[in-house]
Amino acid sequence: MSTVAEKAGVSTKTVSNVVNGTGSYSPETEQRVRAAIEELGYHINPFARGLRSRRTDTIALVLPNLYQPFYAEFAEQVIRSPETQGLKVVLESTRGDAGRERAVLSSHRELVDGVIYVPHALGPEQYLPLPFARPTVVLGERPAEAAQLGLDYVETADEQGAHAVVGHLLAQGRRRIAVIGERPGPWAGARRLRGYRTALAEAGVDYDESLVIGVDDADLWSSGVAGATRLLRTRVRFDALFCFHDVVAVGALSVLARSGIAVPDDVALAGFDDIEAARFASPPLTTVDLGRESIARTAVALLRSRMDREDSRELPGRRESTGFDLRVRASSTTTPAPTESGVTAR
Amino acid sequence: MSTVAEKAGVSTKTVSNVVNGTGSYSPETEQRVRAAIEELGYHINPFARGLRSRRTDTIALVLPNLYQPFYAEFAEQVIRSPETQGLKVVLESTRGDAGRERAVLSSHRELVDGVIYVPHALGPEQYLPLPFARPTVVLGERPAEAAQLGLDYVETADEQGAHAVVGHLLAQGRRRIAVIGERPGPWAGARRLRGYRTALAEAGVDYDESLVIGVDDADLWSSGVAGATRLLRTRVRFDALFCFHDVVAVGALSVLARSGIAVPDDVALAGFDDIEAARFASPPLTTVDLGRESIARTAVALLRSRMDREDSRELPGRRESTGFDLRVRASSTTTPAPTESGVTAR
DNA sequence: CTGAAAGCGCTTACAG
DNA sequence: CTGAAAGCGCTTACAG
């Protein structure tokens, strides 16, 4: 930088101003500085900058697992979001393990400017007491206590999405709608179950616990196979199956096929997440798109607005909600469905 | 650090030594220093360290796209590899776009210590002239020119894997083996095609160009649907279909199902990559596992050995090869297959 | 085995 | 609108 300053005949202060767009300088000065930068192939040293200004221009994305396509696709959206431009994204995978999740969250010190956190193994009562050293936005339902802690939330439309997809199944005339994916606790599964129950209640259909199958969240892919197998073994009658994740639905689909159960004729099938594999299943899967792109943009935008302020610790936690799209495909429609219909809600 | 030094009654040099395990110091000194660190909750400032030592303890992983499960699962393996412990992983997605790929590769300056690069849009003649400012390991076949450039390669067993899977199809009595996934150029598809041709030649089966279908690499998922549709439209007879990617096979599977073609009875189907979706397809997909874990570990190990040396620029480029596992599943075996059989090769 | 001190390349009050 | 200079927190020859 001092070489640039010398060449341009100014002080390093001025070079710094030009590079960062801070302070003020005459257009001619800027010209000279930029020319010198160009000529010398100068680029700023991020360590020196970080040492002084405590900015890293890096955010951490804390996810359970990239083997789950939903998280992988979400990560991709975070990386390509326009809001992310100029930031590096460090990916940390917790493998859905409580210990690792805690360790990863506690390790963010001056290494990143902010954190996007997708909880999996830890519930609010476990992660809220953690020392969040950096601005953090959490994906999921915001517990009341979180407001004063300065954590921002992106609340996804799990309940509304589940409500819509179950409403769709009911509209197809299905009444015995089994679900696979229940998982007690404060996670998305619980919200999806709420949507399911509300939709049933509105249609005057009784909630039947024998239709509700839990999952082992450690491996959702095989949970579909395990869950559907369990469901069939109970011999409970059902004419629709709503899986709380597409990967579960894909696994369930293979079990149904092997058991000679036709989808959608015998059983209408629906998933959740709208991952790529849902579009290309046979038959293509009816599902709910939570809007990975808009979740990603919202999360990064929340983070940026907090990263840029000195007093960010004092700011109360905010809450943003995102919408969903119901994707009706052949797995749930006996009458030939339009190739792809999107019902948007907000 | 000076506070720690003062408290322990030593100089900052000694504290630095203890923290980094460099130099030498008496056990008692170490005790005192560690106690002081503990008491003060001290942790090193990575910017100050980076400013001096030019180390970032960060590597970049340059991938086409996390929407491709193979890349997502590979990224997960890189992140959790034991070799990666103590390093941060910055993920960069090029979206399979040549311009972005070039831009991303040129942007790694002092921000990372090394780069793992999975080429997609750029061939060697395009990326080799790039100024690799950091130690870089490339996934794929090493061109002769790369040796002196100091680029390390992990060569994956694409050709051998394809050879094995085609050998398996031939052993099942299939003779008209169509392939989807051909893509001219120096990419994995070409190596897989070589394996296919070799296996055919060894079995005395003629290579028939009308059985070879290319893909639009921009969206492999839908390439399966497009490719299978194209294949059926040509009315060429085939009794097996080998797709160069599982995602292509999943798409093709849906087309075959819709066309009333039974898998494996009418057509034996095989994919490549062994992603999760292959295990849970109906029927489960015969495929090749290139060993994401071992590729990841090898790549990071190569990088580390280079990152740690001053003279790494002078080191000639190295080459490591990894093995594969053939996973025979129901999609290719008319006689009931064992639930999962792994044939390992190296 | 350990210390005193320079310096990495920035940013930023302070001064003009 | 711009300059001179301190200082961020480390590492590392150099010296003993």
Side-chain angles (χ1 to χ4, degrees), chain B residues 151-233:
Chain B
L151 294 175
D152 294 326
Y153 277 75
V154 177
E155 293 196 323
T156 49
D158 296 281
E159 184 168 348
Q160 301 92 312
H163 180 270
V165 76
V166 174
H168 157 75
L169 293 171
L170 289 163
Q172 299 288 311
R174 312 289 173 155
R175 286 295 173 274
R176 302 280 303 162
I177 305 176
V179 298
I180 303 179
E182 203 264 325
R183 181 179 163 223
W187 292 279
R191 302 199 290 285
R192 294 176 191 180
L193 187 65
R194 279 209 299 269
Y196 165 77
R197 296 191 66 156
T198 313
L200 287 188
E202 285 172 7
V205 175
D206 282 343
Y207 174 75
D208 179 353
E209 221 172 47
S210 67
L211 287 170
V212 178
I213 307 280
V215 291
D216 166 21
D217 63 291
D219 182 2
L220 279 184
W221 279 101
S222 48
S223 288
V225 174
T229 307
R230 196 131 49 90
L231 181 63
L232 291 179
R233 209 172 281 146

Side-chain angles (χ1 to χ4, degrees), chain A residues 10-11 13-14 24-26 29 52 54:
Chain A
V10 298
S11 75
K13 162 80 187 300
T14 305
S24 46
Y25 35 82
S26 65
T29 310
R52 282 294 329 208
R54 266 96 231 302

